[in-house]
């Protein structure tokens, strides 16, 4: 009776899915007749059913992974879902295997279901040094098809138990992963992503592995189920997809043999600290006065104020050494850098650490993972997660995060690639710890437009622009590399105005700002004696960057932002205001940002003010609909605001 109830419950669960897709491997006529998915009208394909099962074989002790999948092809762009690749790792003494590859394409022809099966001739092996790539392509796949595929992989490499990705490039109706892990295999488990599990069941299977002489082990049985999973669709203002795609991962921590031996696979941070302290590529390159003896000129060493000295040391490295674009954590040599003047990010920033510490400035290296590399896991130490290093200096109780790889960074600024939330501060005396990496100040882009007169049906004036913080890095570099090309690009980007004169004010690559001024001529649109003018000569956002129906991962700007624009029109005696836009004041939830716009007449001048503020560097995914609506209003104001003036 209990067994029958379970079957009924499962059927009810499956039938509860939208649009009557059959959430199982069996392909039905309704699966073929349906050609849309209501929750995502843009989907190229729909994963109807995704199933995985991993366990340790009781005879071979290899890790076996069985998977099967059913996919509906919804658009032409989804036809390539019939192409599959499986990567099999090669070790020194063993290599992974694949077995039982099966695939079928289902199409509806003249009201009947027609099956086309995968043949062995369509399965190809591509050998590489460290892995074998297995490729197979299902036949006769087209829009409307349903495809099914299944296979099994076998591996003796069990330090990383088979991971499972619930989320991918297509929406998924149902994803289930089952694991059976013997008690003598202990793993750290990590759930990634913001989508909650619908089911996470745990149970114990007694004596799942049995050896001779009475040796045996129980197994922990896990079942993970996630339903109605939206596709992961990349969009601006994010880091690598691996930070957010919903999945479960494993890293072996302890392996216990049946004879009682215990192999500690995973280390504590205390263990890692000891290891890194004696590592010739890291600890051997830190706080060693002998490595940097005689490098600093007396003019810097003799500076009494520590902050001034630190800035001078930073500038000395920027002016005399160059980053080679590499992130290598191994083969690090500060000594080689001092000779060759070119080195990796680790060498550049550890040179900075050495020079600061040699002058008795309190400084620590921070191991990091860049935005493109993914967030380092905090659950357990994984040194391969880290591909970068920065420096933390403490001077007069103020904290400065430093990086010497980019000549266009000001002292105390990090490159954008390093704005990845946190890093591991390495303190070999008191122990390492996680350090949050945040940018305190707002980055700004400011434009002040002043139109002083109307001459020959042209508005004459100027634009003064200021770029601060992260907005200053790109224009500083482009202008420094080629001022002529910089101006040409600016002229080409602003075809609706004529730039008569361009001046960069007090240019300094080491400052966190870039200032310029342009004299301009604007030809407004006349209809009779009336001028119809969009005041936004410069637009911050041409279109809304947020276009997804749903976004399941955070909106990561990296830093706090302010966009400020103003226009002042001197009406003199020959212009009269007929129509000005209404004021707008719109805020994001929890005071996390706002939009302010107003226009008013003051002493025969028309003054417009526009300001967009993003008060958080990272917004949680639940803010996405609010940000999307917010940006709609920003773009609408910039594109469609009109001032009506009359020529007197």
């Amino acid at each position: 009776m209990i067994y029958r109830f379970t079957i009924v419950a499962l059927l009810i669960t499956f039938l509860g899915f939208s649009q009557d897709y059959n959430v199982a491997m069996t392909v039905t006529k309704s699966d073929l007749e349906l050609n849309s998915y209501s929750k995502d009208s843009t989907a190229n394909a729909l994963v109807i059913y995704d199933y995985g099962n991993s366990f340790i074989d009781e005879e071979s002790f290899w890790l076996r992974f069985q998977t099967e999948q059913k996919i509906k092809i919804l658009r032409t762009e989804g036809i390539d879902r019939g192409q599959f690749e499986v990567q099999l790792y090669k070790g020194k003494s063993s290599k992974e295997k694949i077995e039982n590859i099966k695939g079928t394409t289902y199409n509806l022809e003249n009201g009947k279901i027609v099956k086309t099966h995968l043949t062995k001739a369509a399965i190809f092996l591509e050998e590489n040094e460290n892995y074998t790539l297995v490729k197979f392509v299902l036949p006769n796949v087209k829009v409307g098809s349903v495809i099914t595929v299944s296979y099994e992989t076998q591996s003796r490499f069990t330090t990383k138990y088979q991971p499972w990705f619930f989320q991918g490039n297509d929406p998924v109706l149902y994803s289930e992963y089952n694991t059976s892990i013997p008690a003598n295999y202990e793993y750290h488990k990590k759930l990634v992503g913001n989508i909650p599990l619908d089911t996470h069941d745990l149970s114990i299977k007694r004596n799942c592995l049995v050896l001779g002489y009475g040796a045996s082990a129980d197994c922990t049985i896990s079942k993970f189920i996630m339903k109605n999973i939206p596709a992961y669709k990349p969009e601006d203002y994010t880091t690598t997809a691996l930070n957010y795609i919903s999945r479960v991962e494993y890293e072996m921590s302890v392996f216990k043999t049946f004879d009682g031996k215990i192999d500690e696979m995973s280390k504590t941070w205390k263990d890692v600290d000891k290891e890194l302290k004696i590592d010739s590529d890291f600890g051997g390159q830190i706080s060693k006065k002998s490595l940097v003896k005689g490098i600093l000129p007396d003019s810097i060493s003799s500076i009494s104020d520590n902050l001034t000295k630190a800035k001078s040391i930073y500038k000395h490295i920027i002016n005399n050494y160059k980053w080679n674009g590499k992130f290598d954590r191994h083969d690090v040599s500060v000594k080689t850098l001092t000779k060759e003047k070119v080195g990796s990010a680790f060498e550049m920033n550890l040179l900075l650490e050495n020079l600061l510490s040699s002058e008795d400035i309190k400084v620590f290296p921070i191991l990091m993972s860049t935005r493109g590399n993914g967030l380092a896991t905090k659950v357990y130490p994984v040194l391969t997660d880290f591909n970068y290093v920065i420096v933390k200096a403490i001077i007069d109780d103020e904290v400065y995060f430093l990086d010497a790889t980019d000549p266009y960074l000001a002292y105390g600024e990090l490159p954008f690639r390093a704005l990845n939330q946190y890093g591991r501060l390495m303190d070999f005396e008191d122990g390492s710890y996680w350090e949050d990496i945040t940018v305190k100040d707002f980055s700004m882009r400011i434009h002040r437009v002043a139109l002083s007169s109307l001459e020959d049906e042209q508005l004459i004036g100027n634009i003064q622009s200021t770029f601060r913080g992260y907005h200053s890095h790109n224009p500083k570099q482009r202008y420094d590399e080629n001022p002529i090309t910089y101006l040409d690009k600016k002229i080409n980007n602003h075809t609706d105005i004529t730039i008569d004169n361009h001046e960069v004010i007090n240019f300094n690559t080491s400052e966190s700002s870039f200032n310029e001024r342009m004299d301009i001529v604007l030809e407004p649109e006349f209809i009779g004696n009336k001028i119809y003018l969009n005041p936004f000569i410069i637009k911050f956002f041409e279109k809304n960057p947020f276009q997804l129906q749903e976004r399941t991962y955070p909106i990561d700007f990296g830093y706090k932002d302010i966009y400020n624009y103003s226009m002042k029109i001197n009406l003199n005696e020959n212009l009269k205001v007929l129509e000005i836009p209404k004021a707008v004041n719109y805020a994001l939830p929890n005071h996390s940002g706002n939009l302010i716009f107003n226009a008013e007449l003051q002493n025969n001048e028309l003054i417009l003010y526009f300001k967009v503020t993003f008060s958080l560097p990272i917004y949680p995914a639940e803010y996405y609909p609010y940000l999307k609506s917010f940006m709609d209003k920003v773009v609408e104001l910039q594109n469609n605001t009109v001032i009506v003036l009359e020529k007197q």
Side-chain angles (χ1 to χ4, degrees):
M1 189 69 178
I2 295 175
Y3 177 79
R4 288 180 61 195
F5 174 80
T6 303
I7 296 297
V8 170
L10 284 171
L11 286 172
I12 291 171
T13 300
F14 289 161
L15 291 173
F17 286 86
S18 63
Q19 294 186 268
D20 297 318
Y21 282 108
N22 177 38
V23 185
M25 283 297 285
T26 303
V27 177
T28 65
K29 193 174 181 180
S30 66
D31 293 331
L32 293 163
E33 289 173 334
L34 291 166
N35 285 296
S36 63
Y37 178 51
S38 61
K39 291 188 176 182
D40 186 352
S41 60
T42 66
N44 296 323
L46 172 66
V47 179
I48 301 172
Y49 182 76
D50 198 13
Y51 174 88
N53 181 40
S54 293
F55 59 96
I56 303 296
D57 187 272
E58 59 184 6
E59 295 182 1
S60 67
F61 293 94
W62 282 42
L63 173 61
R64 295 173 61 184
F65 168 62
Q66 301 164 340
T67 184
E68 53 187 24
Q69 196 173 58
K70 183 170 86 172
I71 304 172
K72 173 73 179 185
I73 309 302
L74 298 173
R75 294 183 169 204
T76 303
E77 295 84 352
I79 291 175
D80 64 2
R81 302 304 190 268
Q83 303 174 20
F84 292 84
E85 292 186 357
V86 181
Q87 186 170 296
L88 304 174
Y89 176 68
K90 292 179 181 178
K92 292 181 179 179
S93 59
S94 180
K95 60 182 181 179
E96 295 177 328
K97 299 185 289 187
I98 190 168
E99 294 184 353
N100 302 321
I101 301 174
K102 297 178 182 178
T104 305
T105 303
Y106 296 79
N107 288 299
L108 197 61
E109 299 179 6
N110 299 318
K112 294 183 178 180
I113 298 177
V114 177
K115 304 178 187 178
T116 311
H117 297 290
L118 174 71
T119 63
K120 288 186 178 180
I123 302 174
F124 306 94
L125 301 182
E126 184 180 295
E127 298 293 342
N128 294 278
E129 183 179 355
N130 298 317
Y131 61 88
T132 299
L133 194 62
V134 182
K135 298 182 178 181
F136 52 96
V137 181
L138 271 62
N140 202 25
V141 179
K142 53 191 175 182
V143 174
S145 298
V146 171
I147 59 176
T148 61
V149 66
S150 63
Y151 59 85
E152 176 180 316
T153 61
Q154 299 175 5
S155 174
R156 65 174 296 182
F157 308 109
T158 56
T159 54
K160 285 185 179 290
Y161 200 83
Q162 180 69 37
W164 181 257
F165 284 72
F166 297 98
Q167 192 176 29
N169 294 328
D170 303 305
V172 181
L173 283 183
Y174 182 90
S175 180
E176 177 181 325
Y177 187 42
N178 297 274
T179 64
S180 175
I181 300 178
N184 54 324
Y185 294 74
E186 294 183 14
Y187 291 90
H188 292 299
K189 181 177 66 180
K190 182 172 72 170
L191 282 167
V192 181
N194 297 319
I195 304 173
L197 290 164
D198 288 280
T199 299
H200 183 194
D201 291 338
L202 294 173
S203 60
I204 300 295
K205 182 180 179 181
R206 302 296 179 187
N207 300 319
C208 66
L209 289 185
V210 179
L211 276 73
Y213 310 104
S216 66
D218 298 337
C219 286
T220 299
I221 308 298
S222 297
K223 181 189 292 290
F224 306 91
I225 296 175
M226 198 177 284
K227 304 173 187 175
N228 296 314
I229 309 158
Y232 180 89
K233 297 183 179 180
E235 194 177 49
D236 288 344
Y237 303 112
T238 187
T239 55
T240 175
L242 288 176
N243 281 340
Y244 306 116
I245 289 180
S246 292
R247 64 190 185 276
V248 59
E249 293 181 344
Y250 300 85
E251 183 90 17
M252 182 174 280
S253 57
V254 177
F255 176 66
K256 302 174 183 176
T257 62
F258 285 97
D259 61 5
K261 181 182 176 182
I262 297 177
D263 190 357
E264 297 279 353
M265 307 294 292
S266 180
K267 301 173 182 177
T268 66
W269 272 110
K270 189 175 181 178
D271 296 327
V272 172
D273 290 354
K274 291 179 181 178
E275 179 183 320
L276 287 176
K277 186 175 182 178
I278 61 173
D279 186 342
S280 61
D281 291 325
F282 192 72
Q285 304 293 322
I286 292 171
S287 299
K288 299 289 190 290
K289 290 187 178 182
S290 60
L291 293 176
V292 294
K293 186 177 180 181
I295 288 179
L296 288 178
D298 291 339
S299 59
I300 294 178
S301 297
S302 61
I303 297 173
S304 58
D305 178 71
N306 275 347
L307 181 57
T308 303
K309 180 183 287 188
K311 289 181 177 180
S312 298
I313 291 172
Y314 174 81
K315 193 169 183 178
H316 178 78
I317 296 176
I318 291 294
N319 290 340
N320 293 280
Y321 301 88
K322 186 177 181 180
W323 178 43
N324 61 15
K326 296 180 179 180
F327 296 168
D328 302 344
R329 195 175 67 82
H330 301 288
D331 299 322
V332 175
S333 174
V334 172
K335 190 173 183 179
T336 300
L337 171 62
T338 60
K339 291 179 179 179
E340 298 182 356
K341 307 297 183 183
V342 176
S344 68
F346 270 80
E347 289 167 334
M348 293 286 289
N349 285 330
L350 293 185
L351 172 61
L352 175 61
E353 188 278 342
N354 274 281
L355 288 174
L356 291 172
S357 63
S358 71
E359 295 296 322
D360 298 321
I361 294 172
K362 192 173 183 180
V363 62
F364 300 95
I366 300 177
L367 285 173
M368 291 198 65
S369 177
T370 57
R371 291 172 68 89
N373 193 57
L375 291 168
T377 180
K378 288 186 174 182
V379 180
Y380 43 85
V382 182
L383 278 178
T384 53
D385 280 355
F386 301 98
N387 70 330
Y388 205 73
V389 68
I390 62 171
V391 173
K392 175 184 177 181
I394 304 173
I395 302 172
D396 299 329
D397 296 326
E398 285 290 325
V399 170
Y400 301 91
F401 294 120
L402 305 174
D403 183 291
T405 62
D406 190 336
Y408 300 101
L409 298 178
Y411 177 88
E413 288 184 334
L414 295 175
F416 184 69
R417 61 180 169 271
L419 301 185
N420 202 25
Q421 301 188 32
Y422 55 82
R424 188 77 182 185
L425 184 143
M426 304 309 299
D427 184 343
F428 293 139
E429 291 184 7
D430 298 324
S432 66
Y433 56 89
W434 294 107
E435 175 89 17
D436 289 336
I437 308 298
T438 57
V439 181
K440 296 178 182 178
D441 298 328
F442 281 87
S443 290
M444 299 183 185
R445 186 175 159 193
I446 304 168
H447 300 288
R448 301 274 183 260
V449 181
L451 300 177
S452 57
S453 62
L454 177 67
E455 300 175 12
D456 299 325
E457 298 192 341
Q458 294 179 326
L459 289 166
I460 313 298
N462 64 75
I463 302 174
Q464 296 189 47
S465 299
T466 298
F467 302 85
R468 292 180 185 165
Y470 285 87
H471 289 296
S472 72
H473 298 167
N474 184 262
K476 277 196 297 185
Q477 181 173 354
R478 288 190 291 111
Y479 178 78
D480 188 48
E481 290 176 347
N482 194 321
I484 295 174
T485 301
Y486 175 84
L487 178 57
D488 287 344
K489 186 173 182 180
K490 189 168 287 290
I491 291 171
N492 293 332
N493 287 343
H494 298 291
T495 55
D496 51 343
I497 60 174
T498 300
I499 299 175
D500 282 343
N501 184 48
H502 176 261
E503 177 188 8
V504 171
I505 304 165
N506 298 326
F507 178 67
N508 189 335
T509 56
S510 63
E511 294 294 328
S512 186
S513 64
F514 181 79
N515 302 284
E516 63 183 354
R517 183 184 184 280
M518 299 182 293
D519 292 331
I520 64 166
V521 176
L522 171 65
E523 295 188 14
E525 179 185 356
F526 274 89
I527 299 179
N529 279 339
K530 293 180 181 178
I531 297 173
Y532 293 83
L533 176 66
N534 181 333
F536 290 97
I537 298 172
I538 298 174
K539 296 180 175 65
F540 298 118
F541 301 96
E542 295 287 346
K543 62 180 182 179
N544 191 338
F546 306 124
Q547 297 293 326
L548 298 179
Q549 289 180 298
E550 182 180 10
R551 179 160 162 165
T552 60
Y553 50 95
I555 301 87
D556 190 334
F557 293 100
Y559 48 85
K560 299 179 293 184
D561 244 342
I562 291 177
Y563 297 87
N564 197 299
Y565 183 92
S566 66
M567 175 177 276
K568 181 173 67 174
I569 303 175
N570 192 332
L571 301 173
N572 296 312
E573 301 299 324
N574 53 359
L575 285 176
K576 178 182 178 182
V577 176
L578 296 182
E579 185 178 326
I580 59 175
K582 294 180 180 179
V584 175
N585 195 332
Y586 187 78
L588 287 168
N590 300 317
H591 308 289
S592 61
N594 58 44
L595 163 63
I596 299 172
F597 174 71
N598 58 52
E600 59 183 354
L601 280 169
Q602 290 184 7
N603 301 322
N604 205 36
E605 289 182 335
L606 177 59
I607 299 173
L608 294 98
Y609 180 79
F610 175 85
K611 184 180 180 182
V612 178
T613 303
F614 296 102
S615 301
L616 299 178
I618 302 174
Y619 289 82
E622 54 265 29
Y623 276 70
Y624 186 71
Y626 303 105
L627 279 165
K628 188 175 180 180
S629 176
F630 182 85
M631 290 304 297
D632 276 341
K633 295 183 184 300
V634 170
V635 173
E636 168 72 17
L637 269 174
Q638 290 180 120
N639 289 337
N640 298 321
T641 296
V642 175
I643 300 167
V644 182
L645 305 172
E646 186 176 51
K647 184 179 177 182
Q648 299 298 297

